[in-house]
Structures are given as C-alpha cells and as structure tokens.
Amino acid sequence: MPRPRATSDTDILAATGRAIGAHGPGRLTLAHVGAEAGVSPATLSQRFGSKRGLLLAFAADAAAGADEPYRRARAAHDSPLAAVHAVADEFARHMSTPEEMANHLGMLQLDLSDPEFRIHATAHTRAVDAALRELLADAAARGELPAGTNVPRLARAVKITMDGSLLQWALTGDGDPAVLLHGDLDHLFGRTS
C-alpha cells in the first residue's frame, strides 16, 4: 500500500501561486515551490513531471476555481454589489507590491503566447465573466442597478476596471489597492461623482 501524501496537490498548487508572486514564472524553480510547499523538488517532479507541468497544473486549477471567489462572496453578502466589492478586496490582498503584481503578470505572457496555457486562460476568463454576469443580474433584479442595465456589458466593464485599477496602482504606487478598487467600482456603478 502506498504511503499517503503528506502535502496535497491542492496545497502544492496554492504554494505555486505564492511562489509565482515572489519570483515570477520565468525565474521560478521547483526548489522555490518546494520550499513554499514543504516538499522536495523531486516530489514535485514525480507529481507534475517538470516546471512546465506544474505551471500547467496551476493554470488548470486556477481556471477550474475561477468562479469560487465570486460564489464565496455572494454567500457572505446579502447585496450582490457588496459581493463584487468583496471579490475586489480579495484580489487586492493578493497584490501587496508592484513587483508581486509584475510576477503574476508573467503568467499572462505565458497565457497569451503558449496555446496550452491559453486554453486554461480562456476557461478562466469565461468563468469569471459568467460569475460577474450572474452577480450583476442579481443586483439588477434587486434594484441595486438601474432598470435596463446591460448586464453583459457592465460585467465586462467591471472586469476591465478591476484589472486596470490594480495595474494603475502597480504603475504609480499611489494609495491602497483595495481603496482604489472600491472607488473605481463605485464610480462605475454610479455611486460616486
């Protein structure tokens, strides 16, 4: 009977995300991930085959769970728009420095240039779009948004605003990313001038 795994693949993939934030995918090594996960690089090679295999598994896992922050936020908040803000808070917490954001953006380069990564990035994007449309449709039904709101268009604008706000913060270093995200979303929702 094989020994049970002390560190799950889920834990290793979470550690991979933290290691990407610290080093970027280009400079990332199996030793970085192993140190973060508490396993040896040999264990990572056995489970994922290579750094590329590990990164592809990370991308697939991220795509499979892309809507999870939206579902958690919706379960925790009566207001769908408050749930959108809660998701923004979660995203902002993952970007503590401009360098960390740059390291995560390194994955975007892989997503855009490598067809195997692009498959997962497309699935991730579609899942986020669907989760946002669901939240905003609920907000419209509850009267939190004006009657006749074009929900798909607004969902696209929300995602662009969230991504752009974090990028603007990373480029300027001005302010707190969560506060900036809240302000930009409130402006988009017509709640501020």
Side-chain angles (χ1 to χ4, degrees):
M1 173 189 285
R3 289 187 339 215
R5 293 178 172 181
T7 305
S8 71
D9 286 355
T10 300
D11 291 338
I12 289 172
L13 294 175
T16 301
R18 293 189 301 274
I20 289 168
H23 305 284
R27 293 179 296 137
L28 182 77
T29 66
L30 293 180
H32 291 135
V33 176
E36 187 70 38
V39 299
S40 72
T43 297
L44 297 173
S45 290
Q46 285 177 331
R47 289 201 205 173
F48 300 98
S50 64
K51 173 182 156 179
R52 178 180 175 81
L54 176 61
L55 289 175
L56 280 167
F58 172 78
D61 184 65
D67 64 347
E68 197 52 39
Y70 298 87
R71 302 217 180 284
R72 276 194 313 271
R74 186 63 187 106
H77 297 277
D78 290 333
S79 160
L81 291 186
V84 172
H85 280 283
V87 171
D89 285 341
E90 184 172 338
F91 291 163
R93 279 193 305 275
H94 291 292
M95 302 298 162
S96 59
T97 67
E99 294 77 20
E100 185 176 9
M101 183 167 184
N103 289 335
H104 282 290
L105 285 173
M107 284 300 296
L108 179 61
Q109 183 177 8
L110 280 175
D111 294 340
L112 295 174
S113 63
D114 186 308
E116 286 185 273
F117 283 92
R118 191 176 312 118
I119 290 167
H120 301 302
T122 299
H124 187 282
T125 299
R126 289 189 173 139
V128 168
D129 289 348
L132 268 172
R133 283 193 306 270
E134 186 177 318
L135 273 177
L136 296 174
D138 193 10
R142 291 169 169 255
E144 290 188 285
L145 295 171
T149 295
N150 182 334
V151 169
R153 182 66 188 104
L154 181 59
R156 178 180 165 86
V158 166
K159 184 64 175 123
I160 290 168
T161 298
M162 290 170 71
D163 292 346
S165 186
L166 285 174
L167 185 57
Q168 177 76 15
W169 163 78
L171 288 169
T172 66
D174 294 338
D176 176 271
V179 171
L180 294 170
L181 274 171
H182 281 284
D184 290 342
L185 287 172
D186 282 340
H187 181 75
L188 184 63
F189 295 143
R191 294 181 160 195
T192 63
S193 56

